[in-house]
């Protein structure tokens, strides 16, 4: 069902964008947008009268200038979120299905020992991530209002885990029933078709979108005007290297990705060798964490934006809160697993909870790049993603070395190392993380 939902919603949304509602509905919407703009202008006038040194403080002035506007399902920015969701769904489905097809090719077209778990070779294929996510963040820096960033970006990111889940279920069946070549034909054909849709439906910013309403265009551009234009070719590399908030995100991403990829690549082996599960009969078991992770991304985004809109906490506090939930709780679950004893199902539940709750970082460190430097969000994501990829390569290798020496002790040490890294990354991020635009990321600083 998650895969079906991910396909139907964008199709409905595209229909709404291409064929707008009748004149009466449009008239009501234009009046509502006009009233919102008047309220926004009054907010701006009142705020500018007593600015002083407040612009130097935390994100409170930014929140005060935000006009209240609900994210309508038929808005262009929601359309972009769902289109990116399907794009990431397809990208990860292609990535996982390719790995499954390779396994089938080496087993004479019929993978009789197919276990339903993710092949280890699917995760070192990180070249795909190196271009997709920076491009996505560059788009969101021009499309996502500050109070909607969490939900929009996390809805898009949820496509990764849903695509992986569907590919794990469908690709193995295709290999067994039709043969491995049809994995390439089916997934490749759908991917090419969706690529055409991408070029037709996605635009760089609201100013160039032909179907966006005037009210929504003004709403987005007015809220993002303070962050400046794209950086072009100029990059303040020295200032970036000295930025503690950027280092806080980078170190936290490295530690989180270590735990995430360690679990994804090694959990099937742990359940088979230590817990003695027959994964051939329980293939769905090793796929369930993907559903939990995807749903967790969406819920975390909704909750984070709700708290920001109600001004319960500032941007920095929200990012640190969700990062703490997504890093500390999985670390606790990992430490508890070696002491469960003979209760195999409890151990599986703890591991699945760890993979699900780690998605809370989607409303924390994963989108903090846009908070501190929206003009350089794509470039910064490329930097932090590189560190995450390195962690994703080292973590499974470390697990293999530890387990090869002693099975029980090796797994316990692997869990302890992952938990300790997560705790260190969380402490560093809480100490030095930020939710405000850094001085080196402002347009006037770049001009000077």
């Amino acid at each position: 069902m998650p895969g079906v939902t991910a396909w139907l919603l964008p199709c409905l949304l595209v229909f709404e964008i291409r064929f707008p509602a009748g004149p009466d509905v449009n008239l009501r919407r234009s009046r509502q947008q006009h009233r919102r703009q008047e309220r926004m202008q009054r907010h701006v006038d009142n705020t500018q009268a007593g600015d002083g040194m407040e612009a130097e403080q935390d994100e409170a002035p930014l929140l005060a200038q935000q006009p209240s506007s609900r994210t309508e399902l038929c808005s262009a920015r929601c359309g972009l979120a769902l289109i990116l969701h399907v794009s990431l769904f397809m990208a990860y489905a292609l990535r996982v299905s390719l790995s499954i097809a390779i396994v089938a090719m080496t087993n004479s077209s019929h993978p009789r020992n197919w276990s339903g778990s993710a092949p280890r070779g699917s995760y070192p294929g990180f070249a795909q991530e190196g271009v997709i996510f920076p491009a996505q963040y560059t788009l969101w820096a021009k499309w996502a209002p500050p109070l909607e960033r969490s939900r929009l970006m996390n809805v898009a990111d949820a496509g990764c885990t849903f695509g992986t889940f569907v590919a794990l279920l469908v690709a193995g069946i295709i290999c067994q029933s039709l043969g491995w070549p049809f994995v390439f034909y089916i997934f490749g054909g759908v991917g090419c078709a969706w690529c055409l849709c991408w070029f037709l439906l996605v635009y760089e910013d609201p100013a160039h979108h032909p179907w966006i309403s005037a009210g929504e265009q003004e709403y987005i551009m007015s809220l993002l005007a303070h962050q400046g234009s794209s950086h072009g070719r100029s990059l303040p590399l020295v200032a970036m290297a000295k930025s503690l908030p950027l280092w806080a995100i980078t170190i936290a991403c490295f530690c989180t990705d270590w735990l995430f990829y360690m679990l994804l690549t090694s959990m099937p082996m742990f359940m088979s060798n230590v817990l003695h599960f027959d994964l051939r009969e329980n293939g769905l078991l090793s796929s369930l964490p993907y559903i939990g992770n995807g749903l967790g991304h969406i819920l975390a985004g909704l909750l984070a934006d709700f708290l920001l809109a109600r001004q319960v906490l500032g941007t920095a506090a929200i990012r640190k809160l969700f990062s703490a939930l997504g890093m500390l709780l999985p670390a606790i679950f990992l430490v508890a697993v070696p002491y469960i004893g003979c209760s195999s199902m409890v151990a599986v539940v703890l591991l699945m909870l760890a993979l699900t709750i780690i998605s809370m970082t989607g409303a924390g460190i994963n989108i903090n790049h846009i908070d501190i430097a929206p003009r350089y969000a794509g470039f910064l994501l490329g930097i932090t993603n590189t560190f995450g990829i390195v962690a994703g390569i080292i973590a499974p290798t470390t697990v293999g070395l530890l387990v090869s020496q002693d099975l029980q002790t090796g797994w316990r040490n692997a869990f302890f190392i992952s938990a300790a890294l997560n705790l260190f990354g969380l402490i560093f991020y809480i100490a030095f993380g930020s939710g405000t635009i850094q001085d080196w990321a402002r347009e006037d600083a770049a001009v000077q």
Side-chain angles (χ1 to χ4, degrees), residues 137-355:
Y137 275 54
T138 301
L139 277 176
W140 282 130
K142 302 175 182 179
W143 274 96
L147 295 187
E148 300 177 18
R149 282 172 181 165
S150 301
R151 82 189 81 163
L152 292 174
M153 296 178 68
N154 282 343
V155 165
D157 287 344
C160 301
T161 48
F162 288 151
T164 302
F165 174 78
V166 172
L168 286 172
L169 295 182
V170 174
I173 297 174
I174 294 175
C175 289
Q176 291 177 332
S177 58
L178 300 176
W180 62 262
F182 282 89
V183 172
F184 294 95
Y185 300 149
I186 295 174
F187 283 92
V190 174
C192 290
W194 182 252
C195 186
L196 294 176
C197 295
W198 169 269
F199 286 111
L200 292 174
L201 299 175
V202 176
Y203 293 85
E204 181 180 1
D205 53 43
H208 294 88
H209 199 292
W211 306 313
I212 189 174
S213 66
E216 183 185 5
Q217 184 184 70
E218 177 64 24
Y219 171 71
I220 297 175
M221 296 182 68
S222 63
L223 291 179
L224 300 181
H226 68 282
Q227 68 186 27
S229 58
S230 299
H231 61 80
R233 295 184 178 181
S234 61
L235 290 171
L237 296 178
V238 176
M240 289 180 180
K242 296 178 180 179
S243 175
L244 281 176
L246 178 56
W247 276 110
I249 298 173
T250 303
I251 293 175
C253 285
F254 176 89
C255 299
T256 304
D257 284 347
W258 179 293
L259 187 148
F260 181 72
Y261 285 111
M262 186 275 290
L263 285 178
L264 285 187
T265 58
S266 304
M267 192 170 71
M269 183 171 60
F270 176 77
M271 288 192 292
S272 177
N273 298 340
V274 179
L275 303 181
H276 306 294
F277 274 85
D278 186 355
L279 295 180
R280 288 176 294 183
E281 298 178 0
N282 299 280
L284 183 62
L285 191 63
S286 50
S287 302
L288 287 178
Y290 296 97
I291 293 296
N293 190 273
L295 294 175
H297 264 90
I298 296 174
L299 294 176
L302 292 172
L303 180 57
D305 281 344
F306 174 81
L307 295 175
L308 279 172
R310 297 298 184 274
Q311 300 189 27
V312 177
L313 295 170
T315 302
I318 290 290
R319 300 296 178 239
K320 293 178 181 180
L321 172 63
F322 281 86
S323 297
L325 292 174
M327 298 177 72
L328 182 60
L329 293 180
I332 294 174
F333 294 152
L334 285 188
V335 172
V337 167
Y339 300 102
I340 293 301
C342 300
S343 182
S344 299
M345 284 308 302
V346 175
V348 171
V349 169
L350 289 177
L351 292 174
M352 289 185 176
L353 284 175
L355 273 173

Side-chain angles (χ1 to χ4, degrees), residues 345-415:
M345 284 308 302
V346 175
V348 171
V349 169
L350 289 177
L351 292 174
M352 289 185 176
L353 284 175
L355 273 173
T356 299
I357 296 177
I358 201 173
S359 62
M360 303 291 281
T361 59
I365 57 174
N366 289 359
I367 63 174
N368 199 199
H369 312 72
I370 295 184
D371 297 324
I372 67 169
R375 300 179 67 236
Y376 306 101
F379 179 77
L380 298 185
L381 191 277
I383 294 175
T384 59
N385 200 40
T386 300
F387 281 84
I389 289 171
V390 172
I393 295 173
I394 297 176
T397 305
T398 304
V399 172
L401 292 174
L402 293 173
V403 172
S404 63
Q405 299 173 5
D406 182 88
L407 188 63
Q408 297 290 342
T409 305
W411 278 112
R412 185 182 62 201
N413 292 337
F415 290 153

Side-chain angles (χ1 to χ4, degrees), residues 55-124:
E56 301 294 329
Q57 298 174 359
D58 198 19
E59 49 281 321
L62 174 62
L63 295 176
Q65 295 177 21
Q66 295 273 3
S68 61
S69 175
R70 295 182 179 180
T71 309
E72 300 176 359
L73 181 62
C74 60
S75 63
R77 59 191 185 277
C78 281
L80 178 62
L82 294 176
I83 290 171
L84 280 168
H85 176 97
V86 179
S87 299
L88 292 172
F89 179 98
M90 286 304 309
Y92 272 69
L94 286 167
R95 171 175 167 176
V96 174
S97 63
L98 174 63
S99 299
I100 294 172
I102 291 174
V103 174
M105 290 167 59
T106 59
N107 290 329
S108 302
S109 301
H110 294 284
R112 302 181 187 277
N113 294 324
W114 167 246
S115 65
S117 60
R120 293 176 67 91
S122 65
Y123 298 102

